[in-house]
Every structure is written in structure tokens, then in C-alpha cells.
Amino acid sequence: MTDRGPDRPSASRSQTDVVVEGVKAMIVDGELRPGDRLPVEKDLAARLGVSRGSLREGVRALATLGVLQTRQGDGTYVTSLDAAALLGPVGLFAELRGEEQAHDLLGVRRVLEAESAARAARLRTEEHLVELRAILAGVDDLLRSGEPLDAQAFIEADTRFHAVVARASGSPTLAALIDGLVGRTLRARLWRAITQQHANAETQREHRAVLAEIEAGEPERARVRMSVHVLGVEEYADAHDAEGYPPA
């Protein structure tokens, strides 16, 4: 690795920024790997040319981002750097967007979910198929019970279905991005499931169609089925603004 020397603060960069960039460079260069312990505070602060207080602030910032983990009495370590941890802030970003941004977020979600379904049709395992079938069988039981729909259970099953499809795509990054965006519609989807129960049967039919293409190993057909499914959510959002979205 090239010796960069201390990364001294400039007028336009805070010391915290220097810490964040310095530690990031050490990871990118391979000097620090997932699970490695950071150098002791005194040595690392001297190397980066920052105060120990600024170093602690930078470490806290990186811990918030899922890059570092501080273990009481044992030092600070690089995390596993897995997609779920590093892309967790996507969910926060989605939550902070107002209802007027719902269509934009749903459009992004549609693109990602369509790709995940296509990849799942190529890469799914039998274990994935068993799990997806079980989820939809449970929803069938809910819809056939003759009792008022347990909307919370329906939404949880709906969310699991999308999560398993994303996981079956073989891309942890794609799965983490989808997970962050699916959570954005949870409250509105629950409201919709309670008040407009006819939409729940339609959602189940669409899920079944997606699963059929994944089972058949038809990537492009799975892509289209999932895209049309999530497009229905976008259309509802356009028509109802802040009222909520159908389960998806």
C-alpha cells in the first residue's frame, strides 16, 4: 500500500471528515479488512493528524453508517461490511421523503423488484420455492377463513414474499435496497388491507403469477409479472395521494 502520510485537515474539511475519509481509505486499500481491529486511538489520531476527540467523532459517524463497531473494553472493529448494514440508511431516506415523493420511490422500487424477480427465476433454489409456496399457502388460509381479515398477518406475509424473492435473486445488495423501500409503505399498506379487502385477493393472484414464472425459470416473464404488480401500487398512489397504497 502506498504510504499516504497523515491526512491533514484543510480549510474546507472538518477533522471528522478527515477521520471518515482516512479510515475509509484504509479499508479500500486493504489495510483494514472486515473484522479487523482499528489501531489504538493515540496512534490512529497521530496518523490522521487529528485530535483524539475528533477521532472519536469520526468513529461514531462510521459506526452509525455500519462501517465500524465499538466493543466496550475491547476496541473498535471493522464490521462485516455486509449490504444489509451499509444500505440500512436507504430505509431512513425513504421514511424521510414526504407523501408527495411516494410515486418516485415506488418507481424505483418497481425497477428493483422486477430485476429481483428476473434474477430469482434464474437463481432460486428449491428452498426458496418451498418458502414462497408456504407463504402464499398461509395467505390462502387467511383469505378463506371466513373471518375478518387479519390485516397485520396479511401484510407480514406480503412483506416476507417480496423479501424471499429478493433474497432468491442472489444479490444481497439488491435485497437490501428492496428491503429499505418496502418498509416505506408499511403503515399505508396496512390501512389499505383493512379498508379495501378486495385488493388483498388481487395481490394474492399477482403473487401467485410471479411465483409461477419463478418456478418455471422464466426470467423475462417474471420481470413483467413483478413490474405490473408494483405498477398497480404506483397507480393507486397517484389516485389516492396520502390515503395509502394497496398491499404489494
Side-chain angles (χ1 to χ4, degrees), residues 104-232:
D104 176 44
L105 291 171
L106 287 167
V108 173
R109 180 186 162 192
R110 175 164 51 89
V111 172
L112 296 176
E113 293 241 36
E115 179 61 22
S116 78
R119 289 176 59 93
R122 295 194 301 269
L123 301 172
R124 85 289 186 276
T125 65
E126 184 60 29
E127 288 76 15
H128 291 133
L129 294 179
V130 168
E131 191 171 358
L132 289 168
R133 291 168 189 146
I135 291 169
L136 296 190
V139 174
D140 283 338
D141 290 341
L142 286 173
L143 294 174
R144 287 197 301 255
S145 69
E147 301 293 328
L149 181 71
D150 183 342
Q152 184 65 50
F154 180 83
I155 292 299
E156 288 174 358
D158 171 71
T159 300
R160 288 200 310 274
F161 178 84
H162 284 267
V164 175
V165 171
R167 194 167 73 246
S169 75
S171 171
T173 301
L174 190 56
L177 289 169
I178 289 171
D179 182 65
L181 294 177
V182 167
R184 166 66 179 81
T185 63
L186 181 59
R187 184 183 302 174
R189 288 159 60 219
L190 179 60
W191 180 89
R192 175 65 166 167
I194 293 170
T195 61
Q196 299 189 14
Q197 296 196 15
H198 68 276
N200 302 326
E202 180 62 24
T203 292
Q204 177 74 342
R205 285 191 292 271
E206 292 173 354
H207 282 173
R208 287 254 175 230
V210 170
L211 176 56
E213 304 302 349
I214 291 175
E215 288 178 311
E218 294 285 352
E220 293 310 313
R221 292 176 64 88
R223 185 195 307 276
V224 171
R225 291 289 191 184
M226 183 65 86
S227 183
V228 169
H229 173 51
V230 182
L231 180 60

Side-chain angles (χ1 to χ4, degrees), residues 56-71:
R56 294 186 194 111
E57 291 178 6
V59 165
R60 281 194 291 269
L62 288 166
T64 299
L65 293 172
V67 176
L68 298 179
Q69 178 186 46
T70 298
R71 303 175 188 173

Side-chain angles (χ1 to χ4, degrees), residues 41-97:
E41 184 179 272
K42 177 182 177 182
D43 293 343
L44 186 56
R47 171 173 174 169
L48 298 177
V50 299
S51 68
R52 294 172 74 169
S54 294
L55 179 64
R56 294 186 194 111
E57 291 178 6
V59 165
R60 281 194 291 269
L62 288 166
T64 299
L65 293 172
V67 176
L68 298 179
Q69 178 186 46
T70 298
R71 303 175 188 173
Q72 189 67 33
D74 190 34
T76 300
Y77 291 78
V78 180
T79 67
S80 61
L81 302 178
D82 64 283
L86 295 180
L87 293 174
V90 170
L92 176 61
F93 165 78
E95 289 291 342
L96 293 176
R97 300 291 286 261

